[in-house]
Amino acid sequence: MKLNLKIWRQKNNKTKGKIQDYILDGVEEDMSFLEMLDFLNNKLLNEGGEPVAFDHDCREGICGSCSLFINGVAHGPERGTTTCQLHMRKFKDGDTIFIEPFRSRAFPVIKDLIVDRSSFDRIQQAGAYVSVNTSGNTQDANAIPVSKEDADEAFNSATCIGCGACVASCKNSSAMLFTAAKISQYSLLPQGKVERKQRALNMVKQMDLEGFGACTNTGACEAQCPKEISIKNIARMNREYLMANIKK
Amino acid sequence: MLKSSIGRKFLMALSGLFLIVFLTQHFIINITSVFPDDGKTFNALSHFMGNNLIVQFVLQPVLILGVMVHFSLGIYLEIQNQRSRQVSYVKRSINNGASWASRNMIISGLVILSFLIMHFYDFWVPEIMYKYVDHNPLDEHRYFHELQVKFQELFRVVIYCVSFILLALHLLHGFSSSMQSMGITKGPIKLVSTLFAVIIPAGFIFIAIFHYI
């Protein structure tokens, strides 16, 4: 198939970027979206041009590296999948495809389609962990009873891959779904309950410091999350944060 | 806590829920104006609300404070949220999985604010002038007549109807959203908020049209 690609090109975060047009012929429907970009880059390199920079790693929907805003939707038109899981059979011959980086003040563009998502790392470092005594006497996690409901819910929250689609799709560029998923993952489990107050306070504080917007509960994050994390996690985070302030 | 994004959301939700309680109370009084008793019930309730010391000097200032907090914080948060994305997308899906009502709370909110200014000018200012500036004698039978006079003008009825449609949209998202902001997810929140968002504004529209006809 032949595609008209409109790709955001930006040298670095100091310069302004713009959309550049590329006509790409010979795209096969079995290619993944990232393979299509590889195909384009090969063509650009053969022609002596500058390849399009984009993030990728596992290419199997686990790492959360590939994060593109495709035709106005985070990770493209297929629900519940990452960009690397999107295949060209979802498009038609002659289609025009807009490809942009995830946009947020807290996700500055590094180059072309690559953005700096280290703000997510700093939020996690603020409290998304369990302090464990590693002296050799650590209790086996499996010896602590956890109800099936809580375990399932915590696991669902833990499926967040930190790709940033929630931020990209939110009109306020809010990172609350991400932060809420990380807080929920621990607060639902007995091991995580010990530090729940500090976790909620510290992670929310860091989230605000990074410059993300505030959630207005539109649900766009949930709709475009490749792991379909529920916004009920945000309600849980609100509860955790409010209770942590009351019991401080 | 109120300096944090969640704290501000909480305050927004709390003030919104307070205004919902006030709106319900306002509706209950207004709906009595369509009772077939020549405004007797409406006059009695209006006279009570307009002359009870607790309502006038405790609840009324709290209500004004609630309105000011809700609107000023809403506008402030909207500006803050706009700043969190400095470069806009060239192409963006129209709704991104979110309803029009949820994406445009600032628009419906500003329409409601404009309506409130008009509503205050129409009813609240003349009432304050009547009682506290001109020091007129108490007349517990005037309220129903004043209401009927106001709704004889078509432009006012149209503005009321449009404003209440926007209020319905605002409530459609705002009610359930306030619960989410306060961390409440259990119970039939969506159903209750949808019913409230439809019934109360539709009731106010009915009252306006009833008196116009």
Side-chain angles (χ1 to χ4, degrees):
Chain A
M1 63 175 93
K2 190 176 179 180
L3 300 169
N4 178 23
L5 303 173
K6 289 180 175 290
I7 302 176
W8 184 262
R9 303 300 309 261
Q10 188 171 339
K11 202 171 178 185
N12 52 50
N13 70 356
K14 302 276 187 294
T15 55
K16 280 192 172 180
K18 62 173 186 175
I19 288 284
Q20 202 160 316
D21 287 343
Y22 298 95
I23 304 290
L24 188 62
D25 201 1
V27 176
E28 289 173 23
E29 62 175 24
D30 291 334
M31 284 178 175
S32 75
F33 200 84
L34 296 186
E35 283 168 345
M36 181 275 290
L37 286 176
D38 291 337
F39 185 55
L40 170 72
N41 279 346
N42 272 336
K43 186 174 171 249
L44 289 174
L45 283 168
N46 288 337
E47 292 167 355
E50 175 85 11
V52 177
F54 61 95
D55 246 342
H56 60 95
D57 190 9
C58 73
R59 297 202 177 206
E60 53 185 9
I62 297 169
C63 72
S65 296
C66 58
S67 299
L68 301 176
F69 213 70
I70 302 162
N71 275 347
V73 181
H75 292 297
E78 196 168 13
R79 284 189 74 148
T81 55
T82 53
T83 300
C84 62
Q85 294 171 302
L86 176 66
H87 284 79
M88 297 315 294
R89 66 182 76 98
K90 293 285 170 188
F91 300 91
K92 296 193 299 290
D93 184 40
D95 271 0
T96 297
I97 306 173
F98 283 80
I99 309 168
E100 296 178 72
F102 281 3
R103 296 196 190 282
S104 165
R105 189 173 62 165
F107 287 171
V109 171
I110 296 171
K111 188 178 180 183
D112 295 338
L113 303 170
I114 300 178
V115 295
D116 179 0
R117 284 170 284 175
S118 54
S119 49
F120 269 16
D121 298 336
R122 289 187 289 275
I123 293 173
Q124 294 209 79
Q125 284 160 7
Y129 51 79
V130 177
S131 301
V132 178
N133 181 355
T134 52
S135 62
N137 300 318
T138 311
Q139 188 180 2
D140 184 349
N142 292 322
I144 303 168
V146 183
S147 74
K148 176 78 167 69
E149 277 181 4
D150 285 346
D152 286 350
E153 197 64 26
F155 188 79
N156 284 341
S157 304
T159 57
C160 168
I161 52 175
C163 65
C166 46
V167 175
S169 54
C170 174
K171 77 179 184 70
N172 307 324
S173 190
S174 168
M176 285 206 183
L177 189 66
F178 165 78
T179 312
K182 299 300 168 194
I183 287 177
S184 293
Q185 174 189 338
Y186 293 102
S187 69
L188 284 161
L189 299 174
Q191 295 91 333
K193 282 193 164 70
V194 183
E195 294 163 301
R196 66 193 303 180
K197 276 190 239 167
Q198 275 317 110
R199 178 179 304 113
L201 294 172
N202 293 344
M203 288 182 74
V204 170
K205 186 180 173 189
Q206 188 61 40
M207 177 185 75
D208 288 346
L209 283 173
E210 297 293 345
F212 292 105
C215 170
T216 47
N217 306 315
T218 67
C221 54
E222 179 186 65
Q224 293 194 15
C225 173
K227 298 298 167 186
E228 300 180 318
I229 306 280
S230 166
I231 58 167
K232 280 186 177 174
N233 284 288
I234 299 180
R236 187 180 293 113
M237 174 177 70
N238 295 341
R239 266 199 313 274
E240 290 278 326
Y241 182 77
L242 294 170
M243 291 310 289
N245 270 285
I246 292 166
K247 293 179 180 173
K248 215 165 24 175
Chain B
M1 183 179 92
L2 295 178
K3 283 183 180 171
S4 71
S5 53
I6 295 180
R8 287 175 182 147
K9 262 163 55 120
F10 178 74
L11 191 58
M12 213 35 208
L14 205 62
S15 57
L17 286 173
F18 171 70
L19 295 178
I20 282 172
V21 172
F22 164 72
L23 192 70
T24 311
Q25 169 277 126
H26 197 332
F27 176 73
I28 290 167
I29 293 174
N30 279 25
I31 198 70
T32 62
S33 69
V34 304
F35 286 4
D37 61 356
D38 290 330
K40 210 172 165 183
T41 315
F42 180 74
N43 276 334
L45 289 171
S46 300
H47 186 70
F48 171 78
M49 296 300 284
N51 294 281
N52 183 279
L53 291 178
I54 295 171
V55 174
Q56 284 295 295
F57 299 108
V58 179
L59 296 181
Q60 192 163 259
V62 172
L63 171 67
I64 293 169
L65 183 71
V67 171
M68 284 168 70
V69 165
H70 196 71
F71 280 104
S72 52
L73 196 56
I75 292 166
Y76 172 79
L77 286 173
E78 179 67 21
I79 294 167
Q80 288 282 94
N81 287 340
Q82 292 287 335
R83 283 184 187 156
S84 64
R85 179 170 289 127
Q86 288 158 332
V87 181
S88 301
Y89 288 108
V90 176
K91 186 179 171 75
R92 191 178 169 88
S93 143
I94 295 169
N95 58 24
N96 269 334
S99 67
W100 186 93
S102 71
R103 287 180 285 117
N104 295 285
M105 289 296 273
I106 189 70
I107 294 174
S108 54
L110 288 175
V111 171
I112 296 162
L113 178 63
S114 311
F115 165 76
L116 269 183
I117 292 167
M118 191 188 96
H119 190 60
F120 267 52
Y121 179 76
D122 268 358
F123 290 96
W124 190 76
V125 174
E127 183 66 16
I128 295 294
M129 296 292 279
Y130 182 90
K131 284 189 299 197
Y132 304 121
V133 179
D134 299 337
H135 297 290
N136 284 306
L138 289 178
D139 176 7
E140 56 190 85
H141 305 294
R142 64 194 163 88
Y143 306 100
F144 183 66
H145 176 67
E146 284 171 2
L147 181 81
Q148 283 185 315
V149 170
K150 293 282 183 196
F151 285 122
Q152 288 311 303
E153 293 171 52
L154 180 64
F155 86 94
R156 183 172 280 110
V157 175
V158 171
I159 289 172
Y160 268 61
C161 291
V162 171
S163 301
F164 278 110
I165 290 169
L166 267 297
L167 176 69
L169 291 168
H170 200 77
L171 288 169
L172 205 58
H173 176 67
F175 197 150
S176 57
S177 174
S178 62
M179 293 293 172
Q180 168 89 0
S181 292
M182 296 173 92
I184 302 164
T185 51
K186 285 189 177 153
I189 294 168
K190 199 77 196 162
L191 177 70
V192 172
S193 59
T194 305
L195 286 174
F196 185 88
V198 172
I199 292 169
I200 300 292
F204 274 112
I205 289 172
F206 166 72
I207 294 165
I209 294 172
F210 178 87
H211 290 295
Y212 177 71
I213 295 168

